[in-house]
Amino acid sequence: MTVPVPYVAQPLRRFLATESGSASLLLAATVLALVWANLPGGSYDAFWHTEAGVVVGDGGLTMSLQHWVNDGLMALFFLAVGLEISREVTVGELRDPRAVVVPALGALGGLALPALLYLLVNPTGPAAAGWGIPMSTDTAFLVGVLALFGPRCPDQLRLFLLTLAIVDDIGAVAVMAIFYTDEVSVPALVACGVLVAVLAGMRWARVWQLPPYVLVGLALWGAVLASGVHPTLAGVLVGVLVPAARVDPSQRERLRLYGRALAEHASPQRARLATTAVRATIPANDRLQAALHPVSAFVVVPLFGLANAGVELTGPVLRAAATSPVTLGIVLALVVGNAIGISVAAGVALRTGMGHLSGTLRYGHLVGGAMLAGIGFTISLFITDLAFDDPVLRDEAKIGVLAGSLLAAVLGSLVLRYLGERLPLCTVDDGGNGLPDLPSGPWEDPTTTR
């Protein structure tokens, strides 16, 4: 008997495929940033600190190129995260509370223990501000490593880790908004509240056109920027408020009528009505994510890596990092904190019956996946710039993120390869027929075969 590869919803499969492809570009951008930053002349820092902006009369907005990437383009990345959270909670895999409990508790363990381990190494002083750096998992690298080194039945593990990463992202965004905000403008926050209420009202009214959400979202980004809170939070807020529920069946009936009218007599007006009817049959969340996610994965995230991963790897810098509490604390938190925090918290949820996982997911997969969750790259580098003003601490933290993420990727891959299928199943529910056998033959990435 063999176990078929479980069905995964097509939107989720496309999301995972895009994230997997994004990982290679992000890796290439990281390598390029490291090479560029170590070229003589300092062109890397000079370029990314170049001022650019939009000025109209006496007013305008001017920031460095790096801040335009981090504060502007990364809002699109967080918008894609918010859209995925909304879709999964509304119509996706996160609708079943018992299926969410295990990865959610695992994510909480992966948030809390890395922060605690970092603070054990850096309890006081300016370095203590970096406790939020090792708390987040990089979904693109995580999915990319799974595609290369994952087990032969990867869908359940991918779904577990994606759910974990979603909860993890929610926690990381909350940490940035609450703990890494220096000054707050009350009038701007009031404006943010009003705009969020407008978005919620549009969602309640089932507004399906995208332009209203885009316009209000741009205004919200400006208000959040003016408030002192990091403007990427606007992306998350817009993403979770764009409707993801299935559309009213009457929209499909309208499509049938307009389509028939167009077939009977083609005209520009009827073509426009039919096109509008087609769009109305797809939830706004799906349409926006289909347009945005490739841009986020293949443009924004690699640009962020190029703008932030550059650090000088000279002998003195590496020797200082090798003994730096900041670097060592981040490596320890990413590798050990995530592996233990996620494994133990998820294991407790399974053993106590609080939640369940697919019967073909084994404890070896769980442990290996928890180790891979220590790949904390994008948001870790993001929080590094928020946590440290001192360039020395910032460089030491970036080296810790790079080293810890690489070590977590290697160890997690080894565990999945050599231990993944040698431990018992996480959940046994076979109706008394004995444990099912794993499929034979090499694993193939289902995103490329279906």
Side-chain angles (χ1 to χ4, degrees), residues 404-419:
S405 297
L406 178 60
L407 188 57
V410 172
L411 292 177
S413 299
L414 291 175
V415 168
L416 283 177
R417 279 294 187 182
Y418 298 106
L419 187 64

Side-chain angles (χ1 to χ4, degrees), residues 143-168:
V143 174
V145 172
L146 274 180
L148 293 174
F149 302 104
R152 292 178 293 176
C153 287
D155 274 2
Q156 302 96 331
L157 180 58
R158 284 181 163 200
L159 187 56
F160 168 80
L161 290 176
L162 179 61
T163 306
L164 183 146
I166 288 173
V167 178
D168 185 271

Side-chain angles (χ1 to χ4, degrees), residues 51-439:
E51 293 291 319
V54 178
V55 178
V56 179
D58 296 331
L61 179 61
T62 301
M63 297 187 292
S64 68
L65 291 177
Q66 185 183 47
H67 277 96
W68 275 113
V69 173
N70 293 355
D71 298 353
L73 291 181
M74 282 299 285
L76 299 179
F77 167 80
F78 283 99
L79 173 57
V81 170
L83 290 169
E84 184 61 21
I85 291 171
S86 178
R87 198 193 71 80
E88 289 300 311
V89 170
T90 304
V91 297
E93 304 294 342
L94 301 187
R95 290 176 300 166
D96 180 6
R98 281 179 54 81
V100 176
V101 166
V102 179
L105 287 182
L108 293 179
L111 287 167
L113 189 57
L116 291 175
L117 287 179
Y118 180 87
L119 286 174
L120 285 176
V121 181
N122 300 275
T124 59
W131 61 270
I133 295 173
M135 294 178 66
S136 185
T137 298
D138 191 289
T139 309
F141 270 136
L142 180 65
V143 174
V145 172
L146 274 180
L148 293 174
F149 302 104
R152 292 178 293 176
C153 287
D155 274 2
Q156 302 96 331
L157 180 58
R158 284 181 163 200
L159 187 56
F160 168 80
L161 290 176
L162 179 61
T163 306
L164 183 146
I166 288 173
V167 178
D168 185 271
D169 286 341
I170 295 173
V173 170
V175 165
M176 288 191 296
I178 297 172
F179 298 102
Y180 290 100
T181 298
D182 296 328
E183 298 180 2
V184 174
S185 169
V186 175
L189 281 181
V190 172
C192 293
V194 172
L195 291 169
V196 169
V198 171
L199 286 171
M202 291 164 56
R203 180 186 177 104
W204 176 80
R206 297 185 178 181
V207 175
W208 58 268
Q209 295 93 338
L210 287 180
Y213 292 100
V214 174
L215 292 175
V216 178
L218 288 172
L220 180 61
W221 179 85
V224 175
L225 178 64
S227 73
V229 180
H230 204 277
T232 51
L233 180 62
V236 179
L237 292 174
V238 175
V240 298
L241 289 173
V242 172
R246 293 182 175 88
V247 299
D248 192 310
S250 63
Q251 298 288 2
R252 294 187 174 85
E253 178 63 20
R254 189 175 292 109
L255 171 62
R256 186 180 66 82
L257 294 175
Y258 284 135
R260 178 184 297 176
L262 179 64
E264 290 175 353
H265 176 67
S267 68
Q269 182 180 11
R270 292 189 177 190
R272 184 167 58 253
L273 290 172
T275 301
T276 302
V278 169
R279 293 195 186 99
T281 61
I282 308 298
N285 181 293
D286 288 356
R287 284 182 282 124
L288 184 55
Q289 189 169 155
L292 177 67
H293 191 214
V295 176
S296 170
F298 298 130
V299 178
V300 175
V301 171
L303 265 179
F304 173 83
L306 184 62
N308 291 272
V311 58
E312 291 187 19
L313 300 179
T314 61
V317 171
L318 292 175
R319 282 193 295 270
T323 57
S324 166
V326 172
T327 305
L328 297 178
I330 290 175
V331 172
L332 177 67
L334 286 175
V335 178
V336 178
N338 280 281
I340 296 178
I342 294 172
S343 298
V344 171
V348 168
L350 287 168
R351 300 299 294 176
T352 58
M354 297 173 62
H356 65 84
L357 293 173
S358 170
T360 56
L361 190 65
R362 297 174 177 265
Y363 280 104
H365 299 151
L366 193 66
V367 174
M371 288 185 172
L372 286 181
I375 305 174
F377 191 83
T378 304
I379 297 183
S380 292
L381 291 178
F382 196 87
I383 296 179
T384 295
D385 283 331
L386 300 178
F388 298 132
D389 294 325
D390 186 344
V392 175
L393 292 179
R394 190 178 295 169
D395 286 348
E396 290 176 351
K398 288 182 179 181
I399 292 174
V401 170
L402 295 173
S405 297
L406 178 60
L407 188 57
V410 172
L411 292 177
S413 299
L414 291 175
V415 168
L416 283 177
R417 279 294 187 182
Y418 298 106
L419 187 64
E421 297 173 1
R422 289 177 170 83
L423 293 182
L425 297 173
C426 294
T427 304
V428 179
D429 184 16
D430 60 345
N433 297 322
L435 298 180
D437 297 327
L438 290 170

